[in-house]
Amino acid sequence: MSEESVSEPRHEVFERYTVGFTAILCVLVLVIVAILGPLGLGIMEHRTSQSGVYQTTGQDLANLLLLTPILLIGGVLHLRKRDSSKYFLILTSITLIYTGLSYGIGQEWSNPAYTGNIENYFWLFWAMIVGGLIIGMSSLSMFTEDDAPEFGRRGLRIYVILLAIFLLFFAIMWSSEVFEVIATGNTASGSYQSSPTVFWVIRYLDLGVSIPIGFISIYLLVTRPKRAYPIVLLFFGFFVTLGTAVNTMALVQVLSGDPEIAGAASAGLVIFPVLGVLAWAGFYYLVRDKIREKLGRTRTSG
């Protein structure tokens, strides 16, 4: 019997390798999608408007620069039985699921004006969704209440008020476009008629998932920060990774001269960067004690 088998039960060895290799597999999937998509070779053709292509390019770029390194580090650390792996893995789960769903179902399937071959890459988006589920469920179970830091009440109160205000602005911005479409049949920029499917997919996901997750995170931070620490980290990982992707999408749209950045959507050029900064600030607030502890050990050993 090997030394690894003696020190670690077989089911835990299986789970460790499953989660570690799943994270690395998701890295490969994201890289393949970026290479084949509009950011790279353009072989993977999305059935969407030109604005949708710009947004996909921004999403792929953000995935390459942020999500893939986090997954790779988390996967390798987990395979090496490093406890710190959970702080990387937990950041990626919801964003993987969100991205797989939005890429897979946010296509203008019924519009003959859009051609493409995105259906040929179904397995890549399916892998994102399943990989996100595996990583999310496993990483949540890695945390205990002892991992949660001590939170300062005054600083926490100020932060959650700011985050709640801008989440509310985000909800109002998207809701106003929904009401505009219901009333007039289109948005001011014409984005709805050019890609109605992706419009509804994003509004349902953001108004039904992203924004409620934000308010749930705020509530848990205020009421039970220690017990809910891993769930809050899971949610903030989503804000950090997807928030960065949304801002990258907007940047690509602006640099490409996308006319659909107009009307209510133009407010996102202010709201999204602020939410992005608040997301990163909140994440740092949640893990700063661990960072300081790690730096302290590094200085001591040096």
Side-chain angles (χ1 to χ4, degrees):
M1 184 178 292
S2 68
E3 182 180 342
E4 184 181 60
S5 299
V6 172
S7 60
E8 189 177 9
R10 287 185 179 180
H11 72 279
E12 292 185 6
V13 175
F14 169 76
E15 291 169 6
R16 177 162 59 84
Y17 278 104
T18 298
V19 173
F21 283 120
T22 295
I24 294 172
L25 175 63
C26 288
V27 169
L28 295 176
V29 167
L30 291 170
V31 170
I32 291 171
V33 168
I35 292 174
L36 296 181
L39 178 66
L41 301 175
I43 297 173
M44 180 189 296
E45 299 176 354
H46 293 261
R47 297 177 183 271
T48 188
S49 65
Q50 184 58 52
S51 180
V53 171
Y54 293 146
Q55 293 172 57
T56 301
T57 302
Q59 175 80 67
D60 289 343
L61 180 60
N63 288 342
L64 276 181
L65 297 179
L66 182 63
L67 196 59
T68 54
I70 293 174
L71 279 165
L72 183 60
I73 294 170
V76 171
L77 288 176
H78 198 64
L79 290 173
R80 298 181 64 184
K81 300 175 65 173
R82 300 293 179 86
D83 186 63
S84 57
S85 67
K86 61 192 179 186
Y87 290 97
F88 292 91
L89 293 174
I90 203 165
L91 305 182
T92 63
S93 173
I94 302 180
T95 300
L96 281 170
I97 297 170
Y98 186 105
T99 303
L101 287 172
S102 60
Y103 275 20
I105 64 179
Q107 306 286 330
E108 304 304 321
W109 300 107
S110 60
N111 190 337
Y114 296 121
T115 59
N117 57 8
I118 196 68
E119 60 273 13
N120 296 336
Y121 304 94
F122 160 82
W123 299 105
L124 294 173
F125 309 128
W126 170 82
M128 289 185 199
I129 298 168
V130 175
L133 286 171
I134 293 172
I135 293 170
M137 294 177 68
S138 59
S139 58
L140 279 173
S141 66
M142 298 175 193
F143 287 86
T144 67
E145 286 192 22
D146 293 335
D147 292 316
E150 295 295 332
F151 295 99
R153 304 303 296 180
R154 182 174 179 275
L156 181 61
R157 191 179 302 114
I158 294 172
Y159 173 77
V160 298
I161 290 173
L162 286 174
L163 183 58
I165 289 172
F166 279 93
L167 279 173
L168 184 60
F169 285 161
F170 183 20
I172 291 172
M173 180 181 71
W174 262 193
S175 297
S176 68
E177 286 202 337
V178 169
F179 291 130
E180 184 179 20
V181 166
I182 293 173
T184 67
N186 200 1
T187 56
S189 63
S191 60
Y192 178 76
Q193 287 190 351
S194 66
S195 50
T197 301
V198 73
F199 175 92
W200 288 115
V201 167
I202 297 302
R203 270 58 180 184
Y204 273 113
L205 287 176
D206 283 345
L207 290 170
V209 178
S210 306
I211 294 171
I213 278 178
F215 284 110
I216 292 169
S217 298
I218 289 173
Y219 177 77
L220 292 175
L221 267 178
V222 172
T223 59
R224 48 180 73 84
K226 282 191 171 291
R227 278 189 293 161
Y229 183 64
I231 298 176
V232 173
L233 268 182
L234 178 74
F235 290 167
F236 270 87
F238 174 58
F239 296 149
V240 165
T241 52
L242 190 69
T244 301
V246 169
N247 280 293
T248 307
M249 284 186 245
L251 179 61
V252 171
Q253 286 179 276
V254 170
L255 294 178
S256 302
D258 187 356
E260 292 190 8
I261 296 288
S266 64
L269 297 177
V270 176
I271 293 174
F272 291 143
V274 173
L275 285 173
V277 171
L278 288 173
W280 278 103
F283 174 66
Y284 175 73
Y285 181 75
L286 292 171
V287 299
R288 62 180 178 178
D289 288 353
K290 303 299 177 183
I291 295 174
R292 291 170 181 172
E293 181 182 324
K294 178 67 174 178
L295 292 174
R297 284 202 303 265
T298 302
R299 293 193 188 101
T300 302
S301 62

